[in-house]
Amino acid sequence: MAQEHKVAIIGLGYVGLPLAVAFSRKYAVTGFDINDKRVKALKLGHDHTLEVPEKDLKAALATENGARGLFISSSPEDLSGATVYIVTVPTPVDKYNRPDLTPLYKASETVGKVLKAGDIVVYESTVYPGVTEDECVPVLERFSGLKFNTDFFAGYSPERINPGDKEHTVANILKVTSGSTPEAARTINDLYASVITAGTYMASSIRVAEAAKVIENSQRDINIAFVNELSKIFTLLGIDTREVLEAAGTKWNFLRFTPGLVGGHCIGIDPYYLTQKAQEVGYHPEIILAGRRLNDGMGAYVAEQVIKQMVRSNMPVNGADILILGFTFKENCPDVRNTRVIDIYRELESYHVGITLHDPRASAEEVAAEYGISMAGELPLGKRFDAIILAVAHSEFIDMDIRSWGRENVVLFDVKAVLPRSWGALRL
């Protein structure tokens, strides 16, 4: 296994692009993505995910005699010169919440066709324990004709990217690494350590590293489900949940979680990967699935609370005008994957109300393609709404007087509890 690495990153999304830029500062890197539109934009220095600033991306593209820098391509043939392949493709679930490994299989097939003796393949995509060696490696062997741990080696290093977070960037987050042999593990760990300033942690095996990743977000999911359930209880009791959490948070070992919608490509997805594997070995997870059910129901719960308040205020519901502010899965981020704001929207639709959706961070084209709904590019001048739901706490919304868009007795629901308490908004 050569020490002068040439790195290829397969998948240039929220995870792959920042990683490619980080590696390009020390190595020759080929960034590969099957999306031609994405590749063309990146070559011009534009990242629509906003994870990599334009100046950093353009600087990464400026190579010096091929010794280092980032080369971006959608042609699989351009991967052939690499010695280390890092796969960062998405791992979604299908409509039945079953893990969909199709992107991983296709990426493994692409890598397998150019794999050479001595090469290393590292997976970063979130999976259940065993996927790297039981699912991906056989694909690599089949398409390369090479033998695992004799001709080529594998590793797993779970991604820890937090979209929209400009403090915890890829180099500033401690990296878990692993390899299929002790030598491969050391090589992979040293490779990551050379660009990750926060340091690395070498797990004892690939399966341990896979398991560590999938429980990170499962743990957060369960804790958020707990405070979401508390929010429902305290609402019935007439107690402000956030005030309860603030009071409880004065204890040194109280875990600080807040209620809300749980979406995105990690927390709302990863638990299903763990439960799938658990069920395969004959165990039915109870706490994990209960947490998923509760969190998946929070969007409908928000909509129901808004409708109930409208009824209490003697507002006609049928035909009412409701404004939803925000559609991305988290604040100050353009990512709409697995956003649970859609659940608020769908539940409100069932009451035959008029819905205006506005999000300055989200792509209207992407929202229409993925969810089949339209967004308002600008808020309609002069229109006043019967109810307003602040679903995502974008900075643009924090700085505006949301009440001015409502009628005199407008119903406000503040999902993230960021509006002034004096406004009297409902909140989780």
Side-chain angles (χ1 to χ4, degrees):
M1 288 175 280
Q3 296 304 306
E4 292 300 323
H5 304 292
K6 292 184 178 180
V7 180
I9 308 292
I10 317 301
L12 298 176
Y14 284 84
V15 174
L17 182 64
L19 190 67
V21 170
F23 272 115
S24 71
R25 297 188 178 106
K26 289 196 174 183
Y27 304 97
V29 178
T30 298
F32 172 82
D33 200 286
I34 60 174
N35 187 331
D36 285 324
K37 183 178 179 180
R38 170 77 168 156
V39 167
K40 288 177 182 177
L42 292 177
K43 285 183 175 181
L44 294 174
H46 177 64
D47 170 28
H48 81 272
T49 70
L50 306 180
E51 290 302 303
V52 178
E54 187 169 314
K55 62 179 180 62
D56 292 345
L57 180 53
K58 287 184 175 179
L61 295 172
T63 61
E64 295 180 1
N65 300 321
R68 63 181 176 85
L70 176 60
F71 173 71
I72 297 174
S73 174
S74 58
S75 299
E77 297 79 15
D78 291 328
L79 296 171
S80 59
T83 58
V84 177
Y85 298 87
I86 301 178
V87 178
T88 60
V89 297
T91 43
V93 293
D94 63 18
K95 63 180 180 179
Y96 302 109
N97 291 323
R98 295 175 305 198
D100 180 4
L101 299 179
T102 303
L104 272 182
Y105 290 142
K106 290 186 177 298
S108 299
E109 178 180 333
T110 298
V111 172
K113 291 177 179 177
V114 295
L115 201 60
K116 307 176 302 300
D119 288 350
I120 300 173
V121 185
V122 182
Y123 291 87
E124 290 210 3
S125 307
T126 300
V127 294
Y128 52 77
V131 167
T132 298
E133 292 162 296
D134 299 340
E135 301 289 341
C136 298
V137 164
V139 177
L140 295 173
E141 287 186 315
R142 185 164 69 253
F143 282 90
S144 68
L146 302 176
K147 187 175 180 181
F148 179 49
N149 279 342
T150 299
D151 301 316
F152 74 93
F153 306 86
Y156 183 79
S157 180
E159 61 89 2
R160 283 177 166 172
I161 292 292
N162 185 25
D165 189 336
K166 303 308 177 186
E167 178 182 354
H168 300 97
T169 55
V170 62
N172 297 325
I173 304 173
L174 191 140
K175 202 81 165 70
V176 173
T177 67
S178 63
S180 55
T181 67
E183 183 184 359
R186 287 192 296 271
T187 300
I188 292 167
N189 189 72
D190 290 345
L191 174 66
Y192 278 102
S194 69
V195 297
I196 304 296
T197 55
T200 59
Y201 176 92
M202 190 165 64
S204 61
S205 70
I206 288 176
R207 287 175 183 251
V208 166
E210 290 170 326
K213 168 57 183 175
V214 80
I215 71 165
E216 288 175 15
N217 288 323
S218 296
Q219 181 188 66
R220 285 187 57 79
D221 193 44
I222 291 168
N223 279 297
I224 296 171
F226 173 61
V227 293
N228 274 337
E229 187 162 60
L230 292 180
S231 176
K232 291 184 175 183
I233 295 170
F234 293 142
T235 295
L236 292 171
L237 294 176
I239 303 173
D240 188 290
T241 305
R242 304 289 175 140
E243 292 180 1
V244 173
L245 293 174
E246 288 173 10
T250 59
K251 189 169 187 281
W252 74 91
N253 60 351
F254 184 81
L255 300 179
R256 293 179 177 270
F257 287 89
T258 54
L261 305 176
V262 182
H265 68 297
C266 288
I267 301 178
I269 297 292
D270 296 356
Y272 290 120
Y273 275 76
L274 182 56
T275 58
Q276 168 76 15
K277 192 60 179 179
Q279 289 169 339
E280 285 181 7
V281 295
Y283 181 80
H284 180 74
E286 296 184 36
I287 295 176
I288 298 172
L289 288 176
R292 278 282 73 238
R293 286 192 298 273
L294 199 145
N295 284 339
D296 277 348
M298 290 307 292
Y301 174 77
V302 168
E304 290 166 2
Q305 293 303 300
V306 170
I307 297 299
K308 285 181 179 180
Q309 185 59 37
M310 291 175 68
V311 171
R312 294 188 196 105
S313 302
N314 294 317
M315 282 187 185
V317 172
N318 196 351
D321 289 317
I322 298 181
L323 172 63
I324 300 177
L325 294 173
F327 192 73
T328 62
F329 89 90
K330 66 181 293 187
E331 62 274 6
N332 300 326
C333 169
D335 195 350
V336 299
R337 291 176 297 172
N338 193 38
T339 174
R340 295 336 310 163
V341 180
I342 188 62
D343 300 331
I344 300 177
Y345 190 100
R346 298 298 187 207
E347 185 66 20
L348 288 175
E349 275 188 320
S350 69
Y351 290 95
H352 304 290
V353 299
I355 306 171
T356 298
L357 175 65
H358 176 64
D359 190 323
R361 301 267 180 163
S363 163
E365 181 182 353
E366 187 177 354
V367 170
E370 188 164 344
Y371 297 97
I373 60 178
S374 60
M375 288 202 313
E378 300 290 340
L379 288 175
L381 291 175
K383 183 162 186 174
R384 295 296 177 263
F385 296 91
D386 300 297
I388 300 174
I389 302 171
L390 178 59
V392 186
H394 293 319
S395 57
E396 292 91 337
F397 299 147
I398 304 301
D399 297 334
M400 65 187 283
D401 185 2
I402 292 173
R403 294 174 302 174
S404 66
W405 292 96
R407 302 188 194 280
E408 185 177 350
N409 59 340
V410 63
V411 172
L412 291 176
F413 197 108
D414 180 9
V415 172
K416 299 295 288 185
V418 294
L419 299 178
R421 291 293 285 128
S422 60
W423 289 12
L426 302 172
R427 60 184 192 173
L428 292 175

